[in-house]
Each structure stands twice: as C-alpha cells, then as structure tokens.
C-alpha cells in the first residue's frame, strides 16, 4: 500500500526530473559549442586546504592572528574530518552480509565449523562498524577541546574547522540511522560468536565490544546526542555555538562557498547548530529565545533552501531538524521557517530548474561571448614582455574569468542537486498520479 505508493511517487519524480533535465540540455546546447582543448587538462576543484598540516604552527604565536594551540586544533580537526568522511563512504556503501550466509545445520561438529566460518566472514565487516563507535569518542573529545579554544577574535579558522567536523558527525548519524542491516549483521555475528567463543582469541574483549555496539546501534543519533551532552558542560558553550552559526551564515551570504557541497554543508550545519544550542527547560539555553543567536539571519537562509542534499541520494530536511529541538513550536520558530502562503509559494518556485533556465542561459551566453575576447587578448600579449602592472592586470582578468566560469558551473550543479533533493523529499502521491493519468496538468507532479 504505502510502500508501493511511495515507490510510484519517486518514479514519477524521476520521470519529471528527466523531462526537466532534457529541457535544460536543449536550452543550453546552442551556447556550448566551444572547441575542446587539444590535450586533456587534469585539474581539480578540491585542492588540499592545508598541505603542510600546520607544521609551521609555532610561527603564528607572535603575530596574534592564530595561536599554536588553535593551529594544532585545526590540524587535529582536519584529520578527524578526513577519517569521518572515510567512515561515511564505508557506512553508506555497507550492505548486509548475514543474508548471504547459509544456516548452520548437520551434527554439532559441522554446526560449530559453520558458525566459526560465519564469524570469520562477518568479523572484518563488524569491526568496520565498531570503528564508527570508536570515532564517536574521539570526535566528542577533540571537538570539545577545540571548542574551548574559541574565545579570541582570531578563531574563525577554528570555527570553520569545527563546523566541518560537526557536519560530518551529523551525516554519519543520518546514514547510520537508515541502515537496519547493521543490527541484523550484528545479531548473526553475536550468535556465531557464542557458538565458537572457545576458538576465538580475545573473546572477552570481543564480547564487551559487541554489547557496546548493540547499545550504540539501538540508539538514534548517538553521535550528536553524545556531542550535545558534552558541549553543554563547557563554559561559554552558548557563545561559541552562536559564533559558529553566524560564521556559517556569513560564509553563505558572502559567497565564500565555490562548490555546491560546501554551500549545502554550511546550510546543514546552521540547522544542526540550532538543535545543538537548544536544551530542555532548565537544562541550558533556549535557541528560540536566546538573544545571542541571530534567528532572523538564519531564517533568511532556511526559507530559501529548506531541503538540501545530504550524502549520495540522501537529503537533509532542515525544518525537520529544527522540529527535533526540545523547545520547538510553530510560533517560536516563525523567524526560522516559512509559514505564510507567499513564502510557501516562493519556496516551491525556488526549486524549479526550468524557471531558472532563462537566467542561467543569459549567464552562459554572456560568458561564452567574453571568453574568446579574453583568450585572444592573452594570445596577443603572450609573446611580449609585459610590465608588472600590465602582467598583473592580465593575470587578474584570467583569474576572474575562470572563477566566474566555476561559479556558473557550481550554480547549475547546485540547482539540479537541490531540485533532486526536493523531489525526493516530496514524492508524488496516488491522487496526483491519478490526475495526471486522467489528462490533468502536470503541476501536481512537478510541485
């Protein structure tokens, strides 16, 4: 019933998505007839932000810009983020192993041999899941230690590093909560371990870690819950959380994010930071009453992009994140969420890629007209010895042109990925499908 309706809704969303993508391709095709380069150019928009890992951190102390402790914290957070992203990939691609294992049968000796084999097959995969449990303890400890350093004016870099780790923790929790196969594999693993425990080394340590993992998997959002409990034991936690949220908002408003993934990460972090700040009555600050949090500033962001990509084919619904706050109410969250009819209509239109095709098309036309002019100018001046000012002006023009092209590509990619996330968050119901089949308008499916 409901599962079949949901699958039909997603299928209709996919069909509508393909139609809109085909429309965009037809619109942009006439303007993309540039000659490709003669040789393939290898480039990346994801360079390492810190190739030296702050090995020169001691030199920062006399400048007053960044202390050695902050640099050390940023280096640890970047390593923690990289480890968390690896766990995201491993967890997202995890598939059940226990379903492929045969049921133990035959005499006792044969059963014991089969259980031992099942244990050996499952053991490396369960160990990977246990890495997530161990990551929680490391993430909470290093996050709190670095957050305690965010007291001076030169902490922006540390706050941004904290926001990246915080988002990785939130993504890990979201992926883990969707993986029911983790608990299934652990149950089969524990059953096999119970029958072959005498043949396994370090049996006591495995037994204890299995029990801990079972409690970890049974809890919803264990990483964020542990992080929230630890953060609010720190002095000045409210000021640091608000500063982190405001810095993410400043990055979004100021166009600091070149890649769509960075922009989506900032939006997710803003919503999760509101949840992190909010505590039950008497247990800490109220995010919806705190004078230190600029809710109007965050609300302008949430009302434009309430649904953003999360990881892979998953999406993050920012209003749902806010609804998990202990002090949430529609009246209290009026500054943060769209509620008027005009805001809801504007919100639906902001995800319409076909409506945005006109403005994107004009940007592409303008870019393709200015690019040949700049290339001819660079080619004409390439064989001459230029003065310092003339050489700097040409380099600046090339840099701005490349940056503008990257921003246009990012804008198209961001539009499409957010459109797909919106469609996944709003699957089409049976009524809309029936109306479409009867010859009605396609607004019900597109909406």
């Amino acid at each position: 019933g409901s599962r079949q309706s949901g699958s039909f809704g997603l299928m209709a969303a996919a069909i509508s998505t393909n139609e809109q993508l085909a429309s965009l391709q037809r619109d942009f095709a006439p303007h993309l007839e540039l000659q490709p380069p003669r040789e393939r150019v290898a480039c990346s928009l994801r360079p390492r932000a810190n190739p030296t890992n702050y090995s020169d951190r001691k030199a920062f102390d006399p400048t007053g810009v960044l202390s050695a402790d902050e640099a050390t914290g940023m280096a640890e957070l970047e390593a923690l983020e990289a480890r968390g992203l690896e766990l995201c990939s491993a967890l997202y691609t995890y598939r059940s192993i226990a379903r492929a294992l045969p049921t133990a049968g035959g005499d006792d000796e044969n059963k014991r041999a089969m259980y031992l084999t099942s244990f050996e097959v499952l053991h490396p995969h369960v160990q990977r899941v246990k890495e997530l449990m161990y990551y929680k303890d490391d993430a909470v400890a290093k996050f709190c230690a670095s957050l305690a350093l965010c007291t001076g004016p030169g902490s922006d870099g540390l706050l941004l590093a904290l926001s990246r780790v915080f988002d990785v923790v939130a993504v890990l929790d979201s992926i883990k909560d969707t993986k029911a196969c983790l608990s299934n594999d652990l149950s089969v693993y524990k059953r096999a371990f119970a029958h072959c425990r005498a043949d396994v080394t370090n049996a006591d340590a495995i037994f204890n870690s299995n029990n801990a993992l079972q409690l970890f998997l049974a809890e919803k959002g264990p990483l964020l819950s542990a992080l929230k409990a630890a953060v609010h034991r720190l002095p000045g936690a409210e000021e640091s959380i608000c500063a982190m949220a405001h810095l993410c908002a400043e990055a979004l408003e100021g166009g600091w994010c070149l890649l769509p993934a960075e922009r989506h990460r900032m939006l997710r972090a803003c919503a999760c930071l509101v949840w992190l700040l909010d505590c039950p009555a008497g247990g800490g600050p109220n995010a919806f009453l705190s004078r230190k949090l600029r809710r109007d500033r965050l609300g302008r962001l949430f009302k434009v992009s309430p649904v953003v990509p999360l990881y892979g084919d998953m999406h993050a619904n920012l209003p749902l994140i806010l609804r998990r706050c202990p002090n949430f109410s529609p009246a209290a969250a009026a500054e943060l969420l769209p509620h008027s009819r005009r805001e809801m209509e504007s919100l639906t239109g902001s995800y319409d890629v076909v409506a945005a095709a006109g403005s994107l098309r004009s940007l592409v036309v303008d870019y393709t007209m200015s690019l040949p002019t700049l290339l001819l100018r660079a080619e004409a001046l390439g064989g001459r010895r230029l003065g310092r000012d003339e050489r700097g002006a040409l380099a600046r023009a090339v840099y701005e042109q490349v940056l503008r092209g990257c921003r246009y590509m990012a804008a198209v990619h961001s539009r499409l990925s957010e459109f797909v996330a919106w469609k996944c968050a709003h699957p089409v119901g049976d009524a809309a499908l029936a109306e479409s089949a009867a010859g009605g308008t396609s607004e019900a499916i597109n909406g």
Side-chain angles (χ1 to χ4, degrees):
S2 60
R3 181 177 298 179
Q4 185 177 9
S5 172
S7 62
F8 279 130
L10 290 175
M11 180 179 67
I15 294 174
S16 180
T17 303
N18 292 335
E19 292 175 351
Q20 299 203 32
L21 293 180
S23 175
L24 278 178
Q25 186 177 9
R26 289 193 299 271
D27 290 337
F28 284 113
H31 308 292
L32 299 179
E33 297 179 354
L34 295 177
Q35 294 294 327
R38 297 175 183 178
E39 298 181 1
R40 183 176 179 180
V41 179
C43 62
S44 173
L45 291 179
R46 300 179 183 272
R48 289 191 61 191
N50 179 24
T52 62
N53 198 32
Y54 298 105
S55 58
D56 55 349
R57 60 177 69 102
K58 293 184 178 180
F60 288 113
D61 273 332
T63 66
V65 176
L66 185 69
S67 69
D69 290 338
E70 289 180 357
T72 302
M74 292 169 64
E76 293 178 348
L77 290 172
E78 288 184 6
L80 193 66
E81 179 192 4
R83 180 181 164 198
L85 291 174
E86 291 178 0
L87 286 173
C88 285
S89 177
L91 197 61
Y92 180 77
T93 56
Y94 188 94
R95 296 296 181 267
S96 179
I97 309 298
R99 295 178 60 182
L101 298 177
T103 304
D107 54 22
D108 292 342
E109 184 179 354
N110 186 64
K111 284 184 178 180
R112 185 171 181 177
M114 292 187 69
Y115 278 125
L116 181 59
T117 303
S118 297
F119 172 81
E120 293 173 348
V121 170
L122 284 169
H123 182 70
H125 300 282
V126 174
Q127 285 299 116
R128 288 166 56 195
V129 181
K130 289 180 181 178
E131 285 296 322
L132 176 63
M133 181 175 63
Y134 304 143
Y135 180 81
K136 180 195 74 171
D137 299 331
D138 293 343
V140 170
K142 292 182 179 180
F143 187 93
C144 292
S146 298
L147 189 66
L149 299 174
C150 297
T151 56
S155 302
D156 286 358
L158 186 58
L159 287 173
L160 289 175
L162 282 166
S163 70
R164 288 195 296 269
V165 170
F166 182 62
D167 179 68
V168 170
V169 169
V171 172
L172 280 171
D173 257 350
S174 299
I175 300 176
K176 172 257 172 192
D177 289 341
T178 63
K179 293 287 184 177
C181 60
L182 299 176
S183 297
N184 297 336
D185 282 6
L186 178 62
S187 298
V188 176
Y189 176 77
K190 290 182 65 178
R191 188 183 308 118
F193 173 72
H195 286 83
C196 64
R197 181 171 180 172
D199 301 325
V200 178
T201 57
N202 299 324
D204 292 339
I206 294 176
F207 177 79
N208 294 331
S209 63
N210 287 347
N211 292 336
L213 181 59
Q214 186 173 16
L215 296 175
F216 175 80
L217 295 178
E219 183 181 358
K220 186 173 182 180
L223 285 86
L224 283 176
S225 298
L227 186 62
K228 184 172 185 176
V231 163
H232 283 283
R233 289 194 291 266
L234 298 174
E238 182 179 3
E239 291 80 0
S240 298
I241 294 173
C242 292
M244 202 185 312
H246 296 158
L247 185 60
C248 291
E250 182 180 355
L252 291 165
E253 295 166 350
W256 298 1
C257 308
L258 177 60
L259 300 178
E262 280 292 298
R263 177 176 177 274
H264 300 151
R265 180 186 61 76
M266 293 284 188
L267 285 167
R268 295 192 302 263
C270 285
C272 292
L273 284 168
V274 175
W275 173 86
L276 182 66
L277 178 64
D278 196 53
C279 293
N286 184 329
F288 303 98
L289 298 177
S290 174
R291 295 185 177 181
K292 299 175 181 178
L293 183 67
R294 292 283 305 277
R295 287 177 295 278
D296 57 337
R297 188 178 188 182
L298 299 179
R300 287 192 292 269
L301 300 172
F302 297 158
K303 291 177 181 180
V304 174
S305 303
V307 179
V308 295
L310 178 67
Y311 193 89
D313 61 349
M314 302 173 65
H315 65 274
N317 195 321
L318 306 188
L320 290 182
I321 295 175
L322 297 179
R323 292 179 195 277
R324 300 201 326 253
C325 294
N327 297 301
F328 174 85
S329 68
E335 291 181 282
L336 294 169
L337 299 177
H339 58 279
S340 67
R341 182 176 180 180
R342 180 178 180 181
E343 287 176 337
M344 296 302 296
E345 291 176 352
S346 174
L347 174 62
T348 304
S350 66
Y351 285 91
D352 191 347
V353 292
V354 174
S359 60
L360 293 175
R361 186 189 305 113
S362 64
L363 293 176
V364 171
V365 171
D366 178 66
Y367 187 81
T368 53
M369 291 178 63
S370 61
L371 181 59
T373 304
L374 179 61
L375 294 177
L376 289 174
R377 177 187 169 194
E379 184 178 359
L381 298 176
R384 292 169 46 192
R385 297 191 64 177
L386 305 177
R388 180 175 180 179
D389 293 341
E390 192 175 4
R391 185 171 64 250
L394 178 60
R396 183 69 183 178
V398 172
Y399 164 77
E400 291 178 349
Q401 185 76 8
V402 172
L403 179 61
R404 188 156 63 104
C406 291
R407 290 195 183 279
Y408 291 166
M409 289 190 292
V412 174
H413 184 278
S414 181
R415 279 278 187 176
L416 294 177
S417 59
E418 290 173 11
F419 166 71
V420 172
W422 174 265
K423 281 293 187 181
C424 291
H426 300 81
V428 180
D430 292 337
L433 289 174
E435 180 183 353
S436 178
T441 62
S442 60
E443 293 182 0
I445 294 182
N446 292 337

